[in-house]
Amino acid sequence: EIVLTQSPGTLSLSPGERATLSCRASQSVSNIHIAWYQQKPGQAPRLLIYGASTRATGIPDRFSGSGSGTDFTLTISRLEPEDFAVYYCQHYTDLPVTYTFGQGTKVEIK
Amino acid sequence: QLQLQESGPGLVKPSGTLSLTCAASGDSISSTHWWSWVRQPPGKGLEWIGEIFHTGRTNYNPSLNNRVTISVDTSKNQFSLRLSSVTAADTAFYYCARIYCGGGICNYGKDVWGQGTTVTVS
């Protein structure tokens, strides 16, 4: 079973700063199986990135995903007020089919 | 534009069965996508429950110990979740979501979500 570990647990930043969120898999995984979500209080998650680096429809280009193997990163180039939220990474495997989420990183206003 | 809406009882007794339905509008359940359930206990992270294709093919989270059944009703354009033998640990916000698949390829991201519904086991 693949475990996703996100770090840090909480990231305290100011608007305009760069945010770098990490997602580490317990074993090497395929890039196409990694996705990132944003969740604000009281709302459903929102897909940001799939295939480790492809932005979902309507996602601003300040969000970018990268990585390979066991280490993946979500970067928010310049934080906007609406970006303060919890972010989750997700992995898919087909042996058997399972989706696993990381525990989340909270990006809070400093 | 696709919209998903969950519905079902908000309160279930311990050892009972949780039943939820997700109604789709703006897209057909019989399209090329997979349809999934995800839950989130209060103050905690996300957990995948399972998914279904319109043909009835399903995949379930092994950690739920065979308590899960997901079914589809293409005539009503909806799919449903049943979770048996519930305990307080099953208290959560339950979401339905679409996994986009096109051209024979899925992107494995859940791109459309319902607003979610809270279920309390008590």
Side-chain angles (χ1 to χ4, degrees):
Chain A
E1 177 189 349
I2 292 175
V3 176
L4 300 180
T5 302
Q6 293 187 240
S7 61
T10 301
L11 199 50
S12 299
L13 295 169
S14 300
E17 290 192 292
R18 181 184 188 90
T20 303
L21 288 67
S22 171
C23 177
R24 177 163 291 179
S26 56
Q27 57 186 275
S28 184
V29 300
S30 171
N31 287 18
I32 65 172
H33 294 156
I34 292 292
W36 289 90
Y37 299 86
Q38 175 195 68
Q39 187 178 33
K40 298 178 183 179
Q43 296 186 18
R46 174 193 183 196
L47 178 65
L48 299 175
I49 300 286
Y50 62 91
S53 61
T54 302
R55 275 188 299 276
T57 302
I59 301 303
D61 60 7
R62 64 179 181 273
F63 291 92
S64 63
S66 63
S68 64
T70 59
D71 293 314
F72 297 88
T73 300
L74 175 70
T75 302
I76 310 171
S77 58
R78 287 178 58 85
L79 283 164
E80 297 288 341
E82 62 269 27
D83 298 336
F84 292 92
V86 179
Y87 293 83
Y88 295 95
C89 58
Q90 174 209 272
H91 172 256
Y92 163 91
T93 183
D94 57 3
L95 297 169
V97 171
T98 306
Y99 290 83
T100 304
F101 291 93
Q103 82 278 20
T105 290
K106 181 180 181 180
V107 178
E108 65 176 21
I109 300 177
K110 186 174 180 180
Chain B
Q1 184 171 351
L2 174 67
Q3 292 188 323
L4 299 174
Q5 179 67 59
E6 304 89 347
S7 62
L11 184 64
V12 182
K13 295 185 185 302
S15 77
T17 297
L18 177 160
S19 297
L20 297 174
T21 295
C22 181
S25 59
D27 191 12
S28 172
I29 286 283
S30 299
S31 59
T32 57
H33 316 299
W34 283 76
W35 307 91
S36 65
W37 288 96
V38 175
R39 69 180 182 178
Q40 185 170 36
K44 296 188 178 181
L46 302 167
E47 179 182 31
W48 174 71
I49 299 171
E51 61 180 11
I52 191 165
F53 196 62
H54 67 87
T55 57
R57 182 179 168 189
T58 54
N59 295 300
Y60 299 136
N61 188 330
S63 71
L64 292 172
N65 298 324
N66 301 315
R67 297 191 293 128
V68 179
T69 303
I70 298 176
S71 58
V72 64
D73 187 337
T74 55
S75 66
K76 295 182 178 179
N77 213 39
Q78 63 186 34
F79 61 106
S80 299
L81 168 70
R82 286 173 59 86
L83 181 66
S84 62
S85 304
V86 297
T87 68
D90 296 307
T91 293
F93 220 70
Y94 285 76
Y95 296 99
C96 59
R98 182 181 78 173
I99 300 157
Y100 182 88
C101 302
I105 300 173
C106 296
N107 67 25
Y108 306 112
K110 298 165 182 56
D111 66 333
V112 179
W113 294 68
Q115 63 186 31
T117 188
T118 189
V119 178
T120 301
V121 179
S122 178

